[in-house]
Amino acid sequence: MNLGQAIFRASLLAGVKSKSKFAVGFAADLIQVATQSYHDQDYDLAIRYGMSALEARPDNVDVRRYVAQALIRKERYNEAEDHITALVNLGELKEAFYIRGFAARRRRNHQEAIDAYKKSLAYGRSGVAIYRELASSYFELGDLAEAESHIRAAEERSPHNRYVVDLRCTIALRLGDLATAERTLDVLERVDPSGFADHRRSTVEQARGDSDSTSFRSFGFTEDPSPTVRGDGKSC
């Protein structure tokens, strides 16, 4: 723990957090660092700073979600469940079920993930992430019709999100829809800074020259590290 954190925690124990401008400002800094650490895939740091932030802001839904998902990515499922329970107690059922679905998908319990995501939608969750998550889970179960339906919904909300575009391309390949695969690959090559589009290009080229649709079963897709993604492809 650095000096700033030590002073911050001392102010909490002294019961002066509501009066201390330092404590208020430092809590905001902790939230920002935790959030950025999650998006940078530094999950240990996201957990460390997120937990410190929650000491001051236990009702902050966003930071609790990031902490829970970081714990899940580190396979610390029991600890993540404590945060899910806290979200339920806060009445944030759409977030609680979303994270429960995320945990189930990470454990490859795809039907359980789908059930949880549907409950999250029923409680008001919206946005690109949940539709991509549903598409991913249906894809893994081999239900390509539902996978395509949900990835279309995600694409409508964020047409240039690289994770959405890549999954759309992958589903199209599995369906043998080369026209859609080519279209989405063109988008992916414009929006993906990682170079993964080069790998996807090779699978499209393979599919174009291979009439055996069973060969499409080997095509995977990129993993989205963030719980929510803006239309420009950046996490939020």
Side-chain angles (χ1 to χ4, degrees):
M1 184 188 305
N2 61 32
L3 179 59
Q5 286 177 285
I7 296 172
F8 175 67
R9 289 193 175 186
S11 72
L12 292 181
L13 293 173
V16 298
K17 65 177 180 292
S18 62
K19 300 178 182 179
S20 170
K21 291 182 179 180
F22 173 82
V24 171
F26 198 75
D29 289 342
L30 288 173
I31 291 170
Q32 183 177 357
V33 172
T35 300
Q36 188 59 50
S37 297
Y38 185 90
H39 295 320
D40 290 342
Q41 301 181 49
D42 189 339
Y43 302 121
D44 289 322
L45 201 62
I47 293 165
R48 184 192 314 164
Y49 283 97
M51 291 297 292
S52 293
L54 286 171
E55 290 186 39
R57 300 286 185 270
D59 295 346
N60 189 297
V61 174
D62 290 336
V63 74
R64 193 171 291 280
R65 184 179 69 241
Y66 287 124
V67 170
Q69 293 194 182
L71 288 165
I72 289 165
R73 287 187 177 276
K74 300 298 290 185
E75 299 185 352
R76 293 162 61 178
Y77 294 102
N78 290 337
E79 293 171 75
E81 186 62 34
D82 291 339
H83 292 279
I84 294 172
T85 298
L87 288 168
V88 171
N89 292 337
L90 289 169
E92 294 288 344
L93 298 181
K94 65 181 180 181
E95 300 298 340
F97 280 112
Y98 178 83
I99 297 169
R100 193 157 283 161
F102 182 76
R105 188 175 72 78
R106 296 290 298 181
R107 285 173 154 170
R108 304 193 65 77
N109 296 328
H110 297 296
Q111 187 58 58
E112 182 182 335
I114 289 167
D115 293 342
Y117 287 140
K118 285 183 174 180
K119 288 179 180 178
S120 179
L121 280 172
Y123 280 110
R125 190 84 154 65
S126 60
V128 60
I130 193 164
Y131 288 103
R132 184 193 181 279
E133 290 285 303
L134 278 163
S136 172
S137 296
Y138 278 116
F139 179 84
E140 294 293 349
L141 289 179
D143 190 338
L144 298 184
E146 286 291 338
E148 184 180 34
S149 173
H150 285 89
I151 201 61
R152 281 176 183 247
E155 187 179 37
E156 288 172 1
R157 289 161 173 78
S158 185
H160 297 123
N161 177 284
R162 62 186 174 122
Y163 302 107
V164 170
V165 173
D166 182 62
L167 182 52
R168 181 83 165 99
C169 183
T170 302
I171 292 170
L173 285 170
R174 183 73 67 88
L175 289 167
D177 182 357
L178 291 182
T180 297
E182 288 279 6
R183 175 183 64 79
T184 53
L185 179 60
D186 287 343
V187 176
L188 186 64
E189 288 176 332
R190 293 197 302 270
V191 302
D192 177 28
S194 72
F196 184 82
D198 293 337
H199 167 72
R200 184 61 66 222
R201 168 65 67 184
S202 69
T203 63
V204 172
E205 294 291 341
Q206 176 189 344
R208 184 186 294 116
D210 190 346
S211 61
D212 180 4
S213 63
T214 60
S215 68
F216 300 152
R217 293 177 185 173
S218 65
F219 300 152
F221 52 89
T222 56
E223 173 74 7
D224 186 349
S226 53
T228 309
V229 189
R230 299 196 305 253
D232 59 4
K234 295 181 180 179
S235 302
C236 61

